[in-house]
C-alpha cells in the first residue's frame, strides 16, 4: 500500500493499545515527513501504541 492510499482504510474499525486506530494515518504520514522531529514524534507514538508495556499487540489486522 502506498502512503497516499492510507486514507482509504477503515482505521476506526481497527484498534491499538490506546483505542481505535484512527490516529494511525497521521502517524504514518508523520513518519514520511521531511522533518526529523515530526518523524521521531510520529514513530514514538506509533511504537508506543503497537508495543504498549513491551507487548506486541494484535493491531486488528487480519
Amino acid at each position: 500500500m502506498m502512503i497516499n492510499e492510507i486514507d482509504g482504510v477503515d482505521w476506526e474499525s481497527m484498534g491499538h493499545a490506546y483505542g481505535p486506530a484512527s490516529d494511525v494515518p497521521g502517524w504514518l504520514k508523520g513518519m514520511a515527513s521531511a522533518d526529523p522531529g515530526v518523524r521521531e514524534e510520529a514513530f514514538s507514538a506509533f511504537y508506543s501504541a503497537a508495543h504498549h508495556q513491551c507487548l506486541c499487540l494484535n493491531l486488528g489486522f487480519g
Side-chain angles (χ1 to χ4, degrees), residues 1-52:
M1 177 181 303
M2 302 299 291
I3 193 79
N4 57 351
E5 297 174 357
I6 63 174
D7 291 327
V9 175
D10 183 10
W11 295 102
E12 190 69 29
S13 70
M14 296 181 237
H16 55 59
Y18 304 115
S22 56
D23 41 12
V24 171
W27 295 336
L28 295 175
K29 291 174 184 177
M31 287 188 275
S33 173
D35 183 325
V38 171
R39 286 194 313 265
E40 183 177 341
E41 185 175 328
F43 179 79
S44 178
F46 181 82
Y47 186 87
S48 179
H51 295 276
H52 181 65

